[in-house]
Amino acid sequence: YDVYTDVDIDLHLTGAISQRKSFVQQKSFKLVDKAGKEDNNITELFEVEWFKDFVSMALDSRYWGHSLIQFGDVITTGGKRKFENTSLVPRKHVVPEHGVIIKEIGDLPNRGIDYRNGDIAKWCIEAGKSNDLGLFLKLAPQALSKKNMIAFWDAFGEIFGMPIRIGKTSS
């Protein structure tokens, strides 16, 4: 995930990913009943910040791989119930192959908290498959090579890109 973080700061990839996410997030949507008739009240419940955050995190899972999204407390605002927020469970603490959240990075999965069963399962949703490492796995070699080459060119420019200096002494 540290390598993925380095890949995620690539400007070209950031633009491409943002463009894809914007196309999806700008689309309108509606929820319909079995007969295909739109239910405006239900649709309105999802036109809120927590749902937009959820969609964004779900879209990110295509690049990062498996993601565990946790829903916040249910609150009532203006007579309507909604989630207070959604947040991404830190990926380094999730072991999707075993369906557990570990307290310390490197803990054994048998010491983790099962997020697929029990009370916590009601507040979490998985995005992506448990064995999916995401598209950043394929993008990492090129993005890191590009990052390193830019650093090398910067150093080259600092050393050899200056105008020639002529020094004169009286000796």
Side-chain angles (χ1 to χ4, degrees), residues 64-124:
W64 286 86
H66 179 275
S67 299
L68 185 63
I69 303 166
Q70 179 180 349
F71 295 95
D73 295 332
V74 176
I75 59 172
T76 303
T77 306
K80 296 185 181 186
R81 296 176 66 182
K82 66 177 186 173
F83 289 110
E84 188 174 16
N85 60 5
T86 54
S87 58
L88 184 69
V89 178
R91 292 182 177 97
K92 289 182 178 184
H93 293 273
V94 179
V95 184
E97 298 85 0
H98 296 280
V100 297
I101 301 169
I102 53 175
K103 188 174 181 179
E104 298 291 331
I105 298 170
D107 279 354
L108 294 174
N110 62 357
R111 298 184 67 202
I113 301 166
D114 185 357
Y115 62 78
R116 291 183 180 143
N117 301 300
D119 289 338
I120 196 171
K122 297 174 186 175
W123 300 98
C124 294

Side-chain angles (χ1 to χ4, degrees), residues 19-20 22 25-26 30 74-75 77 80 108 145 147 155-156 161 163:
Q19 186 176 28
R20 176 184 177 264
S22 293
Q25 291 176 317
Q26 289 176 0
K30 61 182 177 181
V74 176
I75 59 172
T77 306
K80 296 185 181 186
L108 294 174
S145 178
K147 177 184 169 192
F156 180 87

